[in-house]
């Protein structure tokens, strides 16, 4: 476990502009601080995908102020669970961490209609993760 008694989860995708942002927002929203949440990208974009921001706003979660962040070894080292979404070998590996790889379509360049089913799939997976972590 991390330095605190609160489990921590890191969501990683290449650009940290879509999938990982949605997953982090759902986890933070649904657990209200019972789980520490981070997200990052191996090659972060300049901004969060506007269609992702819109899709999340439709379910009452505002991520318009979020910015993509660079993935650091420290972020991985201080997380209990690392969930990758298509970044593959670019994610640093630390023994003793729990790694999950969620195969999800990339919302980059997609309109909000294409983002909604990805958002809903992520919400379902995050809900399952919360049950697993006891959050």
């Amino acid at each position: 476990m991390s330095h605190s008694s609160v489990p921590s989860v890191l969501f990683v995708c290449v650009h940290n502009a879509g999938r990982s942002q949605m997953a982090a927002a759902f986890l933070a929203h649904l657990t209200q601080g019972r789980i520490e949440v981070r997200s990052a990208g191996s090659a972060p974009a300049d901004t969060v995908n506007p269609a992702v921001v819109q899709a999340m706003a439709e379910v009452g979660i505002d991520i318009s102020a979020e910015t993509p962040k660079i993935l650091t070894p420290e972020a991985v080292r201080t997380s209990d669970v690392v969930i990758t979404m298509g970044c593959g070998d670019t994610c640093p590996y630390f023994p003793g961490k729990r790694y999950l790889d969620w195969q999800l379509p990339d919302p980059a360049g997609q309109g909000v209609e294409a983002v909604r089913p990805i958002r809903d799939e992520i919400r379902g997976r995050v809900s399952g993760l919360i049950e697993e972590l006891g959050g």
Side-chain angles (χ1 to χ4, degrees), residues 48-68:
V48 175
N49 179 335
V52 167
V53 172
Q54 182 181 341
M56 293 302 286
E58 291 174 356
V59 295
I61 300 174
D62 180 7
I63 63 168
S64 61
E66 295 296 326
T67 56

Side-chain angles (χ1 to χ4, degrees), residues 5-86:
S5 59
V6 176
S8 69
V9 176
L10 171 66
F11 293 101
V12 182
C13 65
V14 175
H15 300 298
N16 190 221
R19 295 165 290 189
S20 55
Q21 290 282 353
M22 288 190 283
F26 275 126
L27 186 57
H29 180 75
L30 295 170
T31 61
Q32 300 292 312
R34 294 187 309 275
I35 295 175
E36 185 180 351
V37 183
R38 298 184 190 92
S39 71
S42 52
D46 293 331
T47 60
V48 175
N49 179 335
V52 167
V53 172
Q54 182 181 341
M56 293 302 286
E58 291 174 356
V59 295
I61 300 174
D62 180 7
I63 63 168
S64 61
E66 295 296 326
T67 56
K69 293 171 270 316
I70 185 73
L71 176 65
T72 64
E74 185 61 20
V76 176
R77 193 176 11 258
T78 58
S79 299
D80 298 310
V81 181
V82 179
I83 299 175
T84 57
M85 303 173 180

Side-chain angles (χ1 to χ4, degrees), residues 102-121:
W102 290 358
Q103 298 291 323
L104 295 158
D106 188 347
Q110 305 284 336
V112 71
E113 298 77 22
V115 172
R116 286 183 188 118
I118 302 168
R119 174 200 66 201
D120 295 343
E121 170 74 15

